[in-house]
Amino acid sequence: MSWDIPLPYVVSHPAPLQWNGWWLGLSLLVMLCVAGGCSLWFWLKDPLILLLTFGAVITITMLFLGIAGWRLFSYGVNAEHAESMEQQNEWHQAKWQEWAQSGLNIIDFSYIFPAEIPHPFEHRTLVNNEVAFSLPSRPPLLYLFEELLAPLTASFRMLRGPLDVYLPCNDDESTRRAFALTWEKLGLSLSAVSDFFSGAVTNPWADQTTQWLNDGNKNAKLLIFFQWPENDEPRIHTDGAIAWLIAANESGSVRSRCRLHRPVTGTNDQAADNAKLLLKYQTSAISVSDQWYNKNAIAAQNGLTLKRCRQLRVQNPASNPPVPEHQFIPYWLGKPGPATDYFTITLMMLMAEYRHAPQSLVLSQAEALVFATVSPGEDIS
């Protein structure tokens, strides 16, 4: 969803006080009074005139001092008010930056992808015509669960709280039974599972992540998702399966492999404003090594890259900001499908671990434009 962040207070700094005209006016009035008083005394020879002249000079001086004091007082009050507004703006910006920087800590994850999808350390991408990359015929659920859960067993044993399990979109009693059998086969107790949820991944990744960050459920989460047609169905999208173990909300400092920061979602018309918000409030989005995008997001990612370079130049005018390496998603995943966001985030997590640097995403999917950042967690290799 789009970030509804209030605009900062308008700060009006008082203009510096200008005293040149006042000093000139005071000097001229005093000189006129003295000159007039001396002329009258010289003509009338009346000592009272000197006394009146002296009184007039004192009156003009005191009036000037009174006006000057009032101007100084008003300037001080307005300057203090402007400083207070600036401090409130800085405090609000820090709070909103903390909110935008929040995210899901990925304790561990596993995946099953076709051989055509490279790992970042292989330094290869396949230039293709959006071909659907296929895996062999879909194996039984028991095999899939075992292949996905076995690499995460050590991380499961480290959990100290309840675990919510989000099963694939086709969640039913047989799917739960297969999960339970695999879970117990790995030597884990089903008592650690708090609840099962179905159909979670029918929501776009950005919406689901925002929901998890905003809801009051603080349990750890296991997300399992398949994009794999039945054996007799044609492959129209790239096959794959993923499993993410997500740390509990507000769990403090946790040992994690990656962090999925709060995404911002909008329309193409809101791309410029959302890119500006992302760079202003999400500090991890500034220094990224790679920029991931798809075909319909090319214009938005170009705008984000330009804004990022400008902001880096403002921060350090003497430097030449590096341009993130572009990662065109179809070159990695082939034919996009409903799981493009989840699969792309998985590849970004792998790249963040490999590069030890944040990754940036601009994804156009289902009439929505998503800006997101993935940063590396603690190195546990």
Side-chain angles (χ1 to χ4, degrees), residues 149-167:
L149 299 183
L152 310 182
T153 304
S155 298
F156 290 142
R157 297 186 189 280
M158 295 173 60
L159 293 177
R160 293 294 180 265
L163 176 68
D164 292 340
V165 176
Y166 291 80
L167 292 173

Side-chain angles (χ1 to χ4, degrees), residues 37 45 77 109 129 142-143 189 215 235 255 269 298 343 353 356:
K45 303 296 183 180
V77 170
F109 63 95
N129 192 22
L142 283 172
Y143 174 82
S189 173
D215 66 19
R235 262 64 171 179
R255 193 165 181 251
D269 295 336
I298 292 178
F343 287 177
E353 284 191 315
H356 302 289

Side-chain angles (χ1 to χ4, degrees), residues 149 152-153 156-157 180 182-191:
L149 299 183
L152 310 182
T153 304
F156 290 142
R157 297 186 189 280
T182 306
W183 188 263
E184 292 178 336
K185 183 179 179 180
L186 296 174
L188 303 169
S189 173
L190 276 175
S191 61

Side-chain angles (χ1 to χ4, degrees), residues 127-149:
V127 179
N128 60 79
N129 192 22
E130 293 192 352
V131 177
F133 299 147
S134 300
L135 284 164
S137 298
R138 181 170 183 169
L141 281 174
L142 283 172
Y143 174 82
L144 282 175
F145 281 136
E146 186 170 345
E147 288 295 307
L148 289 174
L149 299 183

Side-chain angles (χ1 to χ4, degrees), residues 78-152:
N78 292 333
E80 184 178 359
H81 178 72
E83 183 179 357
S84 175
M85 290 295 99
E86 282 189 337
Q87 291 176 353
Q88 288 192 36
N89 283 341
E90 292 174 358
W91 183 84
H92 286 154
Q93 179 169 334
K95 288 298 181 181
W96 282 111
Q97 284 180 339
E98 180 182 354
W99 175 85
Q101 192 71 6
S102 63
L104 302 177
N105 289 316
I106 306 299
I107 301 175
D108 208 350
F109 63 95
S110 61
Y111 57 92
I112 302 173
F113 285 148
E116 291 86 350
I117 297 181
H119 191 283
F121 67 73
E122 295 177 346
H123 299 286
R124 67 178 176 92
T125 54
L126 298 178
V127 179
N128 60 79
N129 192 22
E130 293 192 352
V131 177
F133 299 147
S134 300
L135 284 164
S137 298
R138 181 170 183 169
L141 281 174
L142 283 172
Y143 174 82
L144 282 175
F145 281 136
E146 186 170 345
E147 288 295 307
L148 289 174
L149 299 183
L152 310 182

Side-chain angles (χ1 to χ4, degrees), residues 112-270:
I112 302 173
F113 285 148
E116 291 86 350
I117 297 181
H119 191 283
F121 67 73
E122 295 177 346
H123 299 286
R124 67 178 176 92
T125 54
L126 298 178
V127 179
N128 60 79
N129 192 22
E130 293 192 352
V131 177
F133 299 147
S134 300
L135 284 164
S137 298
R138 181 170 183 169
L141 281 174
L142 283 172
Y143 174 82
L144 282 175
F145 281 136
E146 186 170 345
E147 288 295 307
L148 289 174
L149 299 183
L152 310 182
T153 304
S155 298
F156 290 142
R157 297 186 189 280
M158 295 173 60
L159 293 177
R160 293 294 180 265
L163 176 68
D164 292 340
V165 176
Y166 291 80
L167 292 173
C169 299
N170 60 342
D171 172 36
D172 52 25
E173 192 60 34
S174 62
T175 306
R176 297 191 184 195
R177 191 180 308 113
F179 175 86
L181 289 174
T182 306
W183 188 263
E184 292 178 336
K185 183 179 179 180
L186 296 174
L188 303 169
S189 173
L190 276 175
S191 61
V193 177
S194 172
D195 202 355
F196 288 95
F197 296 86
S198 62
V201 289
T202 58
N203 295 330
W205 168 80
D207 294 345
Q208 186 62 58
T209 298
T210 302
Q211 177 184 332
W212 279 338
L213 289 172
N214 293 340
D215 66 19
N217 186 351
K218 301 179 182 179
N219 295 345
K221 301 170 181 62
L222 172 63
L223 170 68
I224 303 175
F225 177 52
F226 303 153
Q227 180 170 277
W228 213 330
E230 298 298 335
N231 296 337
D232 57 348
E233 294 180 1
R235 262 64 171 179
I236 58 174
H237 304 302
T238 296
D239 300 340
I242 60 170
W244 298 350
L245 179 58
I246 305 170
N249 287 356
E250 301 181 7
S251 56
S253 178
V254 295
R255 193 165 181 251
S256 60
R257 292 179 63 178
C258 290
R259 183 174 177 83
L260 312 183
H261 297 279
R262 184 183 296 273
V264 54
T265 307
T267 63
N268 287 324
D269 295 336
Q270 299 172 315

